[in-house]
Amino acid sequence: MRSGCPVSLSLEIFGDRWTLLVLRDIIFTGARHFRELLAGPERISSNILSGRLNALVEHGLLTRTGDPSH
């Protein structure tokens, strides 16, 4: 267990390369759908992507909503 330090707590969320790459694609490329993230240049696998998105939602950094056009 890490300390309550904000930097230490951030490492719990952002400490792996995939999470940072997912956030990069959302912030800088405007990816909004699972399939857009899956088609990114790093070729993340669907199970890794799903896990990272779930963790980001769980930590309140992303929200999940239905697509009204789907």
Side-chain angles (χ1 to χ4, degrees), residues 57-69:
V57 169
E58 180 182 315
H59 287 95
L61 296 168
L62 294 178
T63 57
R64 179 179 288 141
T65 60
D67 184 353
S69 67

Side-chain angles (χ1 to χ4, degrees), residues 12-43:
E12 293 289 329
I13 301 169
F14 305 118
D16 68 275
R17 102 181 186 136
W18 290 116
T19 300
L20 289 174
L21 292 173
V22 167
L23 287 173
R24 177 205 61 191
D25 289 348
I26 291 169
I27 294 167
F28 294 111
T29 70
R32 294 291 180 259
H33 301 278
F34 187 87
R35 67 184 175 276
E36 293 171 330
L37 293 165
L38 199 58
E42 280 78 20
R43 311 306 298 171

